[in-house]
């Protein structure tokens, strides 16, 4: 295997992409299509490439292994759950013909929604390749309600029949609703957990006597509603503030507004939701083999290598017999995830089971993401440049439009080595929105959560995406609906609850429950 792997964390291209020309034709909140602006009347911030590059260089984390940079309130799994969610809400399943007829996505597009179309595709009829054969009828000629699960290939002393990989075609491409979820190993294993979640609910429904023909739709509803609740209350509120979802549902959305159909705001996709790049670690404790002090630490680079999209999983094109570590036909058994290391499944992990917190939400990005393959570029620079190309306003103008009582001061933005560079170019007074969101989290959230601008916009968009989905629990049942599946706290449902419900906590250690 070569060294050129894709380590761009979470914003792979799929479907349409917004353009400045299209965005500038929009006005107000009149259901603009797939993309639009929350603040269409604000002036765009124009910054030359030179200052942006210098600021991007100043955003390199000087001590990526320093525990002082950890965010203990946000386990590292949420970094990649956030990536999974990003792919769910930005998946565009419109046909090629529809895209040609409506290239700016004003009419023909699939609504951004937390509906797990990245898992379900078009369902058993429209996406047969995602589903297992129906063994209960038709002699297996039709797809059943359950999703396909892939098997790993055994290496070293990790033996057994482990169904812990994504399903793959003969050349290693993942058979999943969104190919981007095979971009790095943790998001791939997160997608796998969602496949198993659906299948476990199917088993539960079958055991309760639910007619076979009704199992898929009911399982999808249960899974999707619990996922929506979990995203709003476990993910969104974890990085914003407890109770913010109920507050928005009570008082209404003030900034993310639409008449009937949700759209993807570029202030969100191009700035606010790129907070996840700051949360990425350079080294992880993945399982008992790939961990600091083990055979090798699970570096960010390795997590991209053991995939089919970015790395060396290539199906039948791999040597036979296999020659580990890479290339491989499917994922090797020694890379199966230990979920105890990514989420708080236990009050405290046993000795020797390392736990990964995310990195703080602040302007500092690990060095690996400053040396992307290809042109050797820096991830922060294209993020900053994208904001200019999309015509995003400054953070100050957005804060003023939102009537934020305590916006960041120029002195706060100027703090630190990165802030000194911002001040050098006058960006402490007119600040790129993405950088403002990260600096606000650092200064107002102690790096543990977003500040007032970022938290409000992120929470409003997610609430709007769920509420605007006419199949969601908010639309059909309202804000009083509570999860019904087993959970540590009855009436709640967290990602840790989902993983405990699925089981398969650390297969290579024989641990299915905790």
């Amino acid at each position: 295997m070569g060294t050129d792997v894709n380590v761009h964390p979470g914003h792979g291209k799929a479907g349409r992409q917004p353009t400045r020309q299209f965005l500038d034709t929009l006005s107000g909140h009149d259901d603009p299509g797939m993309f639009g602006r929350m603040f269409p009347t604000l002036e765009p911030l124009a910054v030359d490439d030179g200052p942006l590059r210098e600021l991007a260089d100043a955003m390199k984390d000087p001590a990526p292994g320093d525990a002082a940079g950890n965010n203990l309130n946000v386990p590292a799994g949420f970094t990649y759950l956030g990536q999974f969610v990003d792919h769910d809400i930005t998946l565009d399943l419109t046909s090629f013909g529809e895209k040609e007829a409506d290239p700016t996505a004003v009419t023909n597009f699939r609504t951004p929604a937390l509906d797990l179309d990245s898992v379900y595709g078009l369902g058993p009829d429209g996406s047969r390749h995602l589903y297992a054969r129906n063994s209960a009828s038709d002699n297996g000629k039709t797809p059943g309600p359950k999703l396909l699960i892939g098997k790993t290939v055994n290496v070293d002393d990790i033996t057994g029949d482990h169904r812990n990989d994504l399903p793959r075609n003969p050349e290693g491409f993942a058979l999943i609703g969104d190919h981007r979820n095979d971009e790095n190993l943790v998001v791939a294993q997160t997608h796998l957990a969602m496949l198993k979640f659906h299948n476990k609910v199917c088993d539960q429904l079958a055991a309760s006597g639910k007619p076979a023909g009704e199992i898929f739709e009911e399982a999808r509803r249960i899974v999707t509603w619990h996922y929506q609740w979990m995203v709003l209350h476990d993910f969104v509120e974890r990085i914003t503030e407890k109770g913010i979802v109920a507050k928005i549902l009570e008082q209404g959305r003030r900034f993310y507004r639409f008449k009937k159909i949700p759209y993807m705001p570029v202030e969100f996709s191009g700035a606010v939701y790129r907070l996840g790049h700051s949360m990425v670690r350079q080294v992880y404790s993945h399982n008992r083999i790939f961990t600091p002090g083990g055979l090798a630490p699970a570096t960010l680079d390795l997590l991209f290598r053991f995939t089919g999209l970015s790395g060396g999983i290539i199906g039948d094109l791999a040597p036979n017999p296999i020659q580990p570590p890479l290339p491989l036909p499917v994922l090797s058994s020694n890379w199966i995830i230990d979920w105890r290391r990514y989420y708080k499944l236990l009050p405290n992990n046993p000795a020797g089971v390392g736990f990964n917190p995310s990195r703080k939400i602040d302007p500092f990005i690990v060095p690996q993401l400053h040396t992307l393959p290809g042109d050797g570029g820096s991830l922060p620079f294209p993020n900053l440049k994208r904001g200019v190309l999309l015509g995003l306003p400054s953070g100050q103008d957005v804060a003023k439009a939102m009537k934020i009582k305590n916006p960041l001061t120029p002195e706060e933005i100027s703090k630190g080595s990165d802030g000194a560079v911002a001040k050098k170019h006058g960006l402490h007074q007119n600040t790129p929105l993405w950088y403002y969101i990260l600096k606000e989290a650092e200064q107002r959230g102690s790096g543990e959560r977003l500040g007032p601008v970022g938290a409000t916009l992120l929470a409003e968009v997610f609430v709007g995406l769920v509420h605007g989905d006419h199949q969601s629990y908010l639309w059909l049942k309202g804000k009083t609906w509570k999860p019904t599946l087993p959970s540590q706290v009855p009436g709640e449902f967290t990602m840790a609850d989902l993983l405990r419900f699925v089981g398969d906590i650390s297969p290579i250690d024989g641990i299915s429950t905790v």
Side-chain angles (χ1 to χ4, degrees):
M1 286 296 297
T3 58
D4 290 342
V5 295
N6 172 23
V7 294
H8 195 301
H11 294 278
K13 293 182 179 179
R16 301 179 178 89
Q17 302 295 318
T19 66
R20 173 76 172 273
Q21 182 181 11
F22 169 59
L23 293 166
D24 286 348
T25 67
L26 304 175
S27 63
H29 303 282
D30 298 327
D31 294 349
M34 178 167 278
F35 297 100
R37 299 188 191 275
M38 284 188 280
F39 303 97
T41 63
L42 295 184
E43 288 293 320
L45 177 65
V47 185
D48 292 337
D49 284 2
L52 292 182
R53 286 191 185 277
E54 195 170 343
L55 179 59
D57 290 343
M59 295 175 71
K60 183 182 292 186
D61 190 341
D66 190 343
N70 289 338
N71 183 356
L72 299 178
N73 291 331
V74 182
F78 285 99
T79 308
Y80 298 93
L81 176 63
Q83 183 183 12
F84 175 89
V85 169
D86 173 67
H87 294 167
D88 186 27
I89 61 180
T90 61
L91 178 61
D92 181 8
L93 290 175
T94 44
S95 70
F96 181 76
E98 288 176 313
K99 290 175 184 176
E100 288 226 311
D102 183 24
T104 53
V106 177
T107 304
N108 294 316
F109 71 97
R110 296 190 181 273
T111 306
L114 288 166
D115 57 4
L116 289 175
D117 53 359
S118 61
V119 169
Y120 294 113
L122 300 175
D125 290 332
S127 299
R128 284 191 168 208
H129 60 289
L130 304 181
Y131 294 84
R133 288 184 181 272
N134 190 347
S135 57
S137 63
D138 281 349
N139 295 317
K141 294 179 181 178
T142 60
K146 296 176 76 171
L147 291 151
L148 285 172
I149 305 293
K151 294 175 66 173
T152 55
V153 60
N154 290 332
V155 300
D156 300 330
D157 62 340
I158 310 299
T159 60
D161 183 20
H162 294 295
R163 293 192 171 270
N164 289 97
D165 190 18
L166 297 171
R168 299 185 180 279
N169 75 7
E171 294 191 355
F173 289 132
L175 297 173
I176 54 178
D178 191 324
H179 67 281
R180 295 172 295 173
N181 284 347
D182 193 24
E183 184 179 67
N184 72 68
L185 184 54
V186 185
V187 77
Q189 295 278 286
T190 300
H191 190 108
L192 177 65
M194 295 297 175
L195 302 180
K196 292 185 175 186
F197 181 32
H198 170 84
N199 288 355
K200 186 71 175 283
V201 173
C202 286
D203 290 340
Q204 192 177 66
L205 290 172
S208 72
K210 174 70 70 174
E214 299 176 14
I215 287 177
F216 173 75
E217 291 297 339
E218 179 66 5
R220 180 170 186 171
R221 181 192 66 78
I222 292 170
V223 167
T224 303
W225 284 11
H226 281 75
Y227 163 73
Q228 291 169 345
W229 199 97
M230 180 264 290
V231 169
L232 291 182
H233 294 279
D234 190 26
F235 176 63
V236 170
E237 293 197 334
R238 185 179 293 270
I239 57 178
T240 56
E241 60 182 87
K242 194 71 175 173
I244 194 171
V245 170
K247 179 180 176 181
I248 292 170
L249 289 172
E250 182 68 27
Q251 299 179 359
R253 288 174 276 110
R254 294 180 294 158
F255 311 108
Y256 178 53
R257 301 172 65 189
F258 48 85
K259 289 184 177 180
K260 294 180 179 179
I261 302 173
Y263 66 95
M264 180 55 60
V266 289
E267 297 92 340
F268 175 86
S269 63
V272 176
Y273 202 50
R274 291 180 181 267
L275 69 101
H277 294 163
S278 175
M279 298 165 63
V280 173
R281 301 186 62 83
Q282 188 139 305
V283 173
Y284 292 86
S285 174
H286 187 73
N287 58 26
R288 64 176 166 82
I289 299 168
F290 294 101
T291 184
L295 175 65
T299 62
L300 188 58
D301 177 70
L302 286 175
L303 292 176
F304 281 84
R305 288 178 181 277
F306 285 86
T307 68
L309 181 61
S310 305
I313 293 179
I314 57 174
D316 293 344
L317 302 179
N320 186 13
I322 62 171
Q323 300 172 18
L326 287 170
L328 291 168
V330 295
L331 183 68
S332 52
S333 58
N334 58 353
W335 274 103
I336 299 172
I337 200 167
D338 178 351
W339 287 115
R340 298 171 298 174
R341 300 169 190 261
Y342 287 91
Y343 290 95
K344 282 285 187 181
L345 301 184
L346 298 164
N348 293 290
N349 282 352
V353 178
F355 177 74
N356 303 296
S358 65
R359 297 296 284 175
K360 285 184 175 179
I361 306 171
D362 61 21
F364 296 106
I365 314 295
V366 295
Q368 175 79 64
L369 298 182
H370 284 262
T371 55
L372 298 179
D375 62 0
S378 160
L379 177 63
F381 174 71
N383 277 355
L384 293 167
K385 179 68 173 178
R386 183 179 287 106
V388 173
L389 293 175
L390 292 176
L392 297 185
S394 70
Q396 287 83 356
D397 282 353
V398 171
K400 184 177 180 180
M402 294 174 67
K403 295 184 170 64
I404 297 296
K405 294 179 180 179
N406 58 336
L408 286 181
T409 66
E411 291 73 26
E412 287 175 310
I413 295 174
S414 300
K415 288 183 178 179
S417 56
D418 58 303
V421 173
K423 182 177 181 179
K424 172 184 173 183
H425 296 288
L427 301 179
H428 63 314
Q429 294 178 318
N430 294 286
T431 309
L433 184 56
W434 178 58
Y435 181 76
Y436 185 98
I437 296 299
L438 297 179
K439 200 71 176 182
E440 187 189 53
E442 176 192 63
Q443 295 296 310
R444 298 297 166 78
S446 301
E448 296 177 348
R449 58 188 65 245
L450 292 170
V453 172
T456 301
L457 296 183
L458 183 132
E460 281 205 9
V461 169
F462 272 111
V463 170
L465 291 179
V466 176
H467 196 236
D469 175 4
H470 291 191
Q471 300 301 315
S472 72
Y473 81 87
L474 279 178
W475 184 267
L476 293 175
K477 292 294 184 181
K479 60 187 179 183
T480 59
W481 180 83
K482 297 293 184 184
T484 57
L485 291 177
S487 58
Q488 201 164 56
V489 178
E492 295 187 5
F493 196 73
T494 67
M495 186 62 182
D497 289 322
L498 185 154
L499 293 168
R500 282 188 286 259
F501 176 76
V502 169
D504 246 4
I505 301 302
S506 183
I508 69 172
D509 298 308
I511 297 173
S512 59
T513 60
V514 292

